[in-house]
Amino acid sequence: LNQRDKGDYGWCWAKSPDGERHRVPDLEERALMQWIVQQKDHENRTWEEIAEDAKRRRIKSRTGQPISTKGLRRRYYAALKQKLFAGQ
């Protein structure tokens, strides 16, 4: 089992061998969040530019849909709130 509650970016649920569910870092999601922070804060790109680049790179949401500008913003603010990637 590997699922995430909507809006809980950077985390997912994993099922251990004993059947217990544990909240664990979602490394793939965090890599995407780090990329978004890099683009916004260090490359000074607009949301539209980042969204276009994500589309070119075929970055998709967990549902398999192209990631939206709104989805990019949600992940960006989640990274800031969780204080991920500080000092990068």
Side-chain angles (χ1 to χ4, degrees):
L1 181 65
N2 192 10
Q3 62 189 36
R4 169 177 59 78
D5 293 329
K6 185 173 181 173
D8 202 14
Y9 297 105
W11 297 93
C12 63
W13 292 98
K15 195 173 187 180
S16 64
D18 64 3
E20 293 290 319
R21 287 179 37 157
H22 301 278
R23 189 170 174 226
V24 297
D26 184 333
L27 301 180
E28 189 174 311
E29 182 90 64
R30 286 179 177 217
L32 173 58
M33 292 164 73
Q34 182 177 18
W35 178 77
I36 295 166
V37 170
Q38 174 71 30
Q39 296 299 304
K40 189 66 180 160
D41 290 352
H42 301 283
E43 303 294 328
N44 296 317
R45 298 181 75 197
T46 66
W47 291 118
E48 292 74 21
E49 290 170 334
I50 299 170
E52 187 60 37
D53 194 10
K55 184 177 179 181
R56 271 195 306 278
R57 293 169 182 253
R58 298 178 189 214
I59 296 173
K60 306 226 182 251
S61 69
R62 286 195 175 267
T63 62
Q65 299 297 315
I67 194 162
S68 67
T69 303
K70 191 174 182 179
L72 290 169
R73 279 195 297 266
R74 285 193 303 256
R75 285 165 178 83
Y76 172 82
Y77 290 116
L80 295 183
K81 182 178 178 182
Q82 295 174 35
K83 298 183 181 172
L84 300 176
F85 324 118
Q88 291 189 12

